[in-house]
Amino acid sequence: MERREPPVVPVERLSGVTRERFLSYIYPQRKPVVLKGMELGACTTKWTVDYLSQAVGSKEVKIHVSAVPQMDFLSKNFVYRTLPFDVFVQRAAEVNHKEYFLSEDEKYYLRSVGEDVRKDIADIRKQFPTLAEDVQIPEYFEKEQFFSSVFRISSAGLQLWTHYDVMDNFLIQVTGKKRVALYSPQDAPYLYLSGTKSEVLDVDNPDLEKYPLFVKARRYQCFLEAGDVLFIPALWFHNVISEEFGVALNVFWKHLPADCYDKNDTYGNKDPTAASRAIQILDRALKTLEELPEEYRDFYARRMVLRIQEKAYRNDYG
């Protein structure tokens, strides 16, 4: 198949954005934007490998370990291991390791979680209180909207799978550099979804024999440096590569009324309860269509699609 590069749209970068400007001008557009020059506290200068090791010490953390740079949540091409934090951060900052689990050049990834992952959210103030003192989180949302603050550390070269979250979030790049590719919710038909995740693992060199529609997805892209903050609206797909060893903090908040979300969701990635119910109803409807002969099943399925488009699709998408 002839190679076609998907179009790339640079994410807008803005400096000196006040809370008022963000809420009145940027936020309503529901598009990603990189905020520069934000006051983030001492973390951008203090969080060296040595400082992190000393500040957190030997607290045990559960990490992802991968023998390949591209982590795939669907095929689970990584393993979970536990290490003392100070040992982990030293290893994550290395390119080659004297001690390792899978290979000398394995990659490490920490995504902080609550004390009990079934009940507790990630909150840097609770899991890493010493580090939380160094961070000034931009208060661009109401306190009651806060959901979680996820502390992340990645090895250089690590790439996370493309996925969406159901809540708005700030990706605060504290140290290191990242490349982030993003896709609009309206391009979901071209991303070959399995739940909240895309099956297209390599967004730079996709298998177009297997995923021919992927070329239709419009790619937005930005490069984050230390001190940059990326606003990722809910439902926007994102794929992240750590170009250097780096430390980041994700702050998630509830864009919808609180009762719209699954109360058992501690990660912020379960679909809103109404959406989950609608999908269950659709699955039952599709099961009912199986009672019909193929010709009729095809006809009424098309009618259902047309009805969904008429009743639920937005008119203002380009």
Side-chain angles (χ1 to χ4, degrees):
M1 180 175 290
E2 182 182 351
R3 178 102 184 124
R4 292 169 56 196
E5 293 294 333
V8 176
V9 180
V11 174
E12 188 174 14
R13 306 174 72 86
L14 298 173
S15 299
V17 175
T18 62
R19 185 180 193 272
E20 292 69 28
R21 185 184 176 198
F22 177 80
L23 291 176
S24 62
Y25 171 68
I26 299 170
Y27 195 58
Q29 296 185 45
R30 310 302 296 161
K31 288 187 175 181
V33 63
V34 177
L35 306 174
K36 298 188 69 65
M38 305 286 282
E39 179 52 58
L40 301 175
C43 56
T44 53
T45 54
K46 288 179 70 174
W47 284 8
T48 63
V49 171
D50 288 341
Y51 173 79
L52 292 170
S53 299
Q54 294 169 6
V56 180
S58 60
K59 168 189 171 81
E60 289 204 334
V61 289
K62 187 176 181 180
I63 58 173
H64 302 67
V65 183
S66 177
V68 295
Q70 292 176 329
M71 289 177 56
D72 183 358
F73 191 84
L74 296 176
S75 69
K76 295 291 196 300
N77 65 346
F78 54 85
V79 296
Y80 293 104
R81 293 292 184 266
T82 301
L83 280 175
F85 181 88
D86 51 358
V87 174
F88 154 71
V89 74
Q90 294 286 342
R91 281 204 207 175
E94 301 170 343
V95 176
N96 293 297
H97 317 291
K98 292 181 179 178
E99 296 184 42
Y100 52 87
F101 296 107
L102 304 174
S103 64
E104 291 182 355
D105 58 350
E106 64 191 16
K107 306 294 184 184
Y108 297 88
Y109 171 56
L110 167 68
R111 190 263 190 220
S112 67
V113 294
E115 286 74 13
D116 183 339
V117 295
R118 297 167 298 179
K119 298 187 299 183
D120 302 321
I121 56 139
D123 187 339
I124 191 173
R125 295 168 298 185
K126 295 179 180 179
Q127 286 92 48
F128 301 94
T130 303
L131 299 182
E133 296 176 3
D134 300 330
V135 184
Q136 183 175 321
I137 294 174
E139 295 183 354
Y140 284 19
F141 50 89
E142 301 300 326
K143 282 183 169 57
E144 60 269 20
Q145 291 179 285
F146 171 83
F147 177 72
S148 65
S149 51
V150 182
F151 183 59
R152 301 181 190 269
I153 295 180
S154 301
S155 293
L158 186 75
Q159 182 172 11
L160 291 182
W161 53 87
T162 304
H163 68 283
Y164 70 88
D165 299 297
V166 299
M167 298 183 191
D168 293 337
N169 83 85
F170 281 145
L171 171 54
I172 302 171
Q173 189 64 29
V174 180
T175 70
K177 297 179 180 179
K178 280 188 173 73
R179 189 203 74 182
V180 186
L182 304 108
Y183 301 91
S184 164
Q186 76 188 85
D187 281 344
Y190 314 132
L191 297 179
Y192 298 87
L193 299 184
S194 177
T196 62
K197 301 161 186 67
S198 170
E199 294 180 9
V200 185
L201 187 61
D202 190 344
V203 297
D204 297 307
N205 297 286
D207 183 346
L208 297 183
E209 293 288 343
K210 190 174 183 180
Y211 308 115
L213 295 180
F214 185 71
V215 295
K216 294 186 177 183
R218 177 180 294 181
R219 172 168 162 170
Y220 294 75
Q221 184 168 281
C222 62
F223 294 88
L224 302 180
E225 299 181 345
D228 287 346
V229 177
L230 172 61
F231 168 54
I232 307 177
L235 308 183
W236 273 76
F237 298 87
H238 42 288
N239 177 286
V240 181
I241 293 180
S242 296
E243 298 196 323
E244 299 175 347
F245 163 79
V247 184
L249 184 68
N250 265 123
V251 180
F252 291 87
W253 69 91
K254 299 173 182 178
H255 173 55
L256 304 176
D259 59 2
C260 291
Y261 299 99
D262 188 323
K263 291 178 173 56
N264 297 317
D265 182 10
T266 58
Y267 283 84
N269 58 10
K270 288 187 178 180
D271 291 317
T273 52
S276 296
R277 290 199 308 272
I279 291 171
Q280 290 170 2
I281 293 168
L282 177 59
D283 287 340
R284 290 198 296 271
L286 292 171
K287 186 70 175 177
T288 303
L289 283 182
E290 293 178 5
E291 300 173 12
L292 295 169
E294 183 180 18
E295 179 183 0
Y296 284 77
R297 185 167 67 245
D298 178 271
F299 173 74
Y300 285 104
R302 292 177 189 275
R303 282 194 59 187
M304 288 170 62
V305 170
L306 289 172
R307 187 164 178 80
I308 290 172
Q309 289 176 336
E310 176 188 347
K311 296 293 185 180
Y313 277 28
R314 290 175 57 176
N315 298 321
D316 56 348
Y317 275 148

